[in-house]
């Protein structure tokens, strides 16, 4: 029985098959011809060709600098530029030091150690202070002014003896 079934299947496979038709296809009109373009690849190839022609036509002549190189060189840091900037900074710092020395040491007679807070000589908390408890320290401030002037005169004499 098994062999007969195999032969029947084999014979069925050998028979020609007919195409099925449907009633809905009988009155179907064929599609209009499609308007096909060249495609993305061909458009990209043609665009690449024209871009290459444009780039090589804008190439600067020999010995000239290109526009892109000019922009890059404009913002590039060079050693000569840094040396010039450093020299200007050094000159400005030396001038500022000279000016400060000139103004600081112009006249030592009127300079004194500024004791803007004479109460600092009395080391205690500034709370719960009774009236009359703080001592007048003007004589202490005058003493330090005189000490400062004597010290400045001594320094001036030493400088005069060295020169």
């Amino acid at each position: 029985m098994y062999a007969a079934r195999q032969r029947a299947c084999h014979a069925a496979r050998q028979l020609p098959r007919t195409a099925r038709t449907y009633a809905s296809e009988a009155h179907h009109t064929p599609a209009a011809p499609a308007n096909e373009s060249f495609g993305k690849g061909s458009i990209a190839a043609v665009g690449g060709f024209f871009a290459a022609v444009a780039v090589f036509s804008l190439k600067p002549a020999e010995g000239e600098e290109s526009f892109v190189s000019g922009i890059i060189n404009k913002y590039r840091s060079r050693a000569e530029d840094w040396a010039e900037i450093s020299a200007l900074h050094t000159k400005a710092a030396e001038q500022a030091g000279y000016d400060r020395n000139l103004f600081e040491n112009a006249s030592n007679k009127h300079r004194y150690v500024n004791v803007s807070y004479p109460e600092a000589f009395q080391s205690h908390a500034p709370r719960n202070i009774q009236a009359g408890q703080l001592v007048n320290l003007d004589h202490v401030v005058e003493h330090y002014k005189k000490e400062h002037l004597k010290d400045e005169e001594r320094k001036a004499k030493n400088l005069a003896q060295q020169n």
Side-chain angles (χ1 to χ4, degrees):
M1 175 90 182
Y2 181 70
R5 191 182 307 166
Q6 272 186 339
R7 285 188 185 145
C9 287
H10 183 64
R13 275 189 249 137
Q14 298 291 331
L15 293 173
R17 295 188 181 206
T18 59
R20 288 180 107 177
T21 59
Y22 296 99
S24 62
E25 291 180 354
H27 59 277
H28 181 66
T29 58
N35 187 10
E36 296 181 7
S37 67
F38 284 106
K40 294 178 184 176
S42 58
I43 292 175
V46 171
F49 172 74
F50 285 119
V53 168
V55 166
F56 283 112
S57 67
L58 295 176
K59 185 178 81 165
E62 193 168 322
E64 290 183 5
E65 187 176 291
S66 70
F67 177 71
V68 176
S69 300
I71 291 175
I72 291 171
N73 288 336
K74 182 179 177 182
Y75 293 104
R76 181 181 292 168
S77 174
R78 292 192 190 94
E80 302 88 32
D81 296 341
W82 284 106
E84 183 181 347
I85 290 170
S86 294
L88 290 173
H89 275 247
T90 304
K91 187 175 179 182
E94 289 173 354
Q95 185 65 38
Y98 175 77
D99 292 345
R100 179 174 178 167
N101 191 18
L102 181 69
F103 290 122
E104 290 274 334
N105 298 323
S107 172
N108 289 331
K109 296 293 181 189
H110 300 291
R111 283 184 56 200
Y112 61 91
V113 178
N114 185 12
V115 185
S116 59
Y117 183 59
E119 289 83 12
F121 289 114
Q122 298 176 353
S123 59
H124 57 77
R127 295 181 292 273
N128 299 327
I129 297 176
Q130 298 173 358
Q133 184 178 358
L134 292 177
V135 180
N136 187 4
L137 296 176
D138 290 339
H139 64 284
V140 176
V141 173
E142 288 299 320
H143 169 74
Y144 282 107
K145 281 184 186 178
K146 289 177 186 175
E147 289 291 322
H148 174 71
L149 290 175
K150 287 179 187 175
D151 194 36
E152 289 296 324
E153 288 175 6
R154 182 185 55 79
K155 287 179 186 177
K157 286 179 186 176
N158 286 341
L159 283 175
Q161 290 176 357
Q162 288 178 357
N163 292 334

